[in-house]
Amino acid sequence: WGVNELLGVESRKPLEIHVNVNPSLGGNMKRRTMIQSSIGGLAAAFSASAFASTKLKGNEKMMPVDTLNHEPGWDKEPVEVLDIKGVRIGEGRPKIIASTTAKTPEAFIALVKDYNSRPELQMIELRPDYIGEISGKEFAKLTKQVYEIAKNKPILMTFRDKTEGGGRHVSDEFYRDFYFDVLDNGKIDLIDIEMFRNADICKQIVKKAKEKGVKVVMSDHEFGWTPSEAEIIRRLLLQEQLGSDILKIAVMAHNTGDALNLMNATWKTRNYFSRKPMLTMAMGKDGVLSRMTGEFTGSDITFCMVGGKPSAPGQIPSEEAEQILNSIHKAMYPAK
């Protein structure tokens, strides 16, 4: 078979590749010359017909894009934006969220008041695992108080187990009952569910949250390492399969390559595999950049530090994060 038949390219005349090799050049130079000449010939063959149905002609700098047919799979579908209290998660620059780290109910309420007064914070995460041995029913009462204080800031409730970097270790059954108490008797907008809890219990909590109109953030935290790019994507898609409205993973970066793996997995999930909003980050000093680059990787929320107390390693102060995120957004979308 000729080259044209192998490539499926129709041409009015045979494809000719001319190779001029200087006998005085070494073997490597000969091979390089042949490869470059062959590539040039193939590019010429493709430009004649393979790009005929597109508006953009392929060249060395731009791959062809189907702008005429809009066949399924060519057009990037929009993110399923969550609008909670007017905060649109999955649209525009990442939303800044801060976690409560208070250890008493009184300090907890005071901290939520402080968070509400900060304009750079769009969301607040309530963390009962830091407040001693508080029960689900007791915390449900607290959520009603702080929900009124938070006003237009969406409230996320998260019980983070010690195994995933939280303040308290509890059984799967206690975890379920705690969440049920808050969903039945409290007031929240979103709930964070650890995806590697007992599968049946996770499904029960997701079902209860959906019945109550509460959005689900399913999460995974790896404080010791960074999974492979493919494994990060697999876990995010499993969360979507289990009913999560926002996909979340946090990994520990031991070098900047780990952070790039997390960022690349986020980008691929957003552009190839899922329309769900995401919350991804690489923790630690080597992962700091991942917390600020969500607008072009696909992470729609970022956790920041308030008052010098981070809830996870590598968090940036909220005021500084606001400036950085706004600068990135303006550079990506300059005013016309």
Side-chain angles (χ1 to χ4, degrees):
W1 290 344
V3 174
N4 290 331
E5 286 78 6
L6 285 171
L7 296 175
V9 176
E10 296 181 1
S11 178
R12 290 191 175 88
K13 63 179 182 178
L15 172 65
E16 297 180 358
I17 299 176
H18 299 280
V19 181
N20 297 317
V21 179
N22 187 334
S24 66
L25 297 177
N28 289 337
M29 182 60 73
K30 292 179 182 179
R31 285 194 296 272
R32 188 178 303 116
T33 304
M34 292 177 68
I35 290 171
Q36 290 173 342
S37 300
S38 300
I39 291 173
L42 293 177
F46 270 115
S47 65
S49 60
F51 302 134
S53 65
T54 62
K55 288 183 179 179
L56 298 178
K57 182 178 179 181
N59 55 41
E60 294 178 355
K61 297 181 180 179
M62 181 182 294
M63 290 191 299
V65 177
D66 187 337
T67 56
L68 293 177
N69 299 314
H70 300 290
E71 292 294 325
W74 283 95
D75 288 334
K76 177 183 172 184
E77 295 185 354
V79 179
E80 295 176 358
V81 176
L82 292 182
D83 191 323
I84 303 175
K85 295 179 176 177
V87 176
R88 295 179 61 79
I89 304 169
E91 181 179 272
R93 43 145 279 199
K95 307 306 183 285
I96 297 177
I97 187 171
S99 301
T100 61
T101 54
K103 292 180 169 53
T104 67
E106 294 76 19
F108 173 79
I109 293 174
L111 196 56
V112 173
K113 289 180 179 179
D114 177 39
Y115 286 4
N116 183 62
S117 69
R118 296 175 179 268
E120 75 275 11
L121 294 182
Q122 285 87 48
M123 303 174 65
I124 300 174
E125 182 185 49
L126 309 182
R127 291 285 297 273
D129 50 292
Y130 284 120
I131 310 177
E133 299 294 318
I134 193 169
S135 69
K137 287 185 172 61
E138 290 171 330
F139 191 73
K141 293 179 181 177
L142 281 179
T143 64
K144 286 186 174 180
Q145 294 182 54
V146 298
Y147 195 87
E148 296 302 320
I149 295 171
K151 296 179 181 178
N152 62 340
K153 297 184 191 291
I155 292 293
L156 166 66
M157 196 282 280
T158 301
F159 192 116
R160 184 70 65 228
D161 195 273
K162 271 191 175 182
T163 58
E164 295 209 1
R168 183 178 171 190
H169 180 59
V170 298
S171 68
D172 289 332
E173 291 73 20
F174 180 95
Y175 185 84
R176 176 198 57 205
D177 294 343
F178 192 101
Y179 273 43
F180 275 24
D181 284 338
V182 174
L183 288 167
D184 284 332
N185 306 300
K187 188 70 174 174
I188 54 175
D189 299 301
L190 307 101
I191 195 165
D192 182 303
I193 304 171
E194 295 169 352
M195 68 178 292
F196 287 126
R197 287 275 178 180
N198 176 278
D200 288 336
I201 284 178
C202 284
K203 291 175 183 177
Q204 291 173 36
I205 300 173
V206 169
K207 183 175 182 292
K208 169 75 78 170
K210 301 284 187 182
E211 291 172 352
K212 296 292 184 178
V214 172
K215 299 300 182 182
V216 171
V217 180
M218 198 159 280
S219 64
D220 173 37
H221 292 73
E222 296 296 344
F223 274 82
W225 62 303
T226 295
S228 69
E229 178 185 299
E231 177 61 12
I232 292 172
I233 294 172
R234 187 189 74 85
R235 294 185 188 189
L236 291 171
L237 296 183
L238 178 57
Q239 293 170 7
E240 180 173 358
Q241 182 181 336
L242 294 172
S244 183
D245 299 296
I246 298 176
L247 317 180
K248 180 184 178 184
I249 189 168
V251 302
M252 180 59 71
H254 292 287
N255 51 61
T256 53
D258 285 343
L260 291 173
N261 274 344
L262 180 280
M263 293 162 67
N264 204 36
T266 303
W267 186 91
K268 287 183 177 179
T269 302
R270 166 57 47 86
N271 287 277
Y272 297 148
F273 305 121
S274 178
R275 297 174 59 203
K276 296 292 185 182
M278 287 186 290
L279 201 179
T280 71
M281 72 213 77
M283 297 178 286
K285 67 179 181 62
D286 291 316
V288 167
L289 188 63
S290 70
R291 296 180 180 275
M292 295 290 102
T293 54
E295 191 158 6
F296 63 86
T297 61
S299 182
D300 302 295
I301 304 171
T302 186
F303 277 89
C304 291
M305 174 174 56
V306 175
K309 295 181 180 179
S311 58
Q315 290 180 357
I316 294 173
S318 58
E319 302 94 332
E320 296 176 19
E322 173 82 354
Q323 295 175 5
I324 295 169
L325 292 172
N326 282 339
S327 294
I328 292 174
H329 180 79
K330 290 176 182 177
M332 291 180 69
Y333 305 100
K336 295 181 180 179

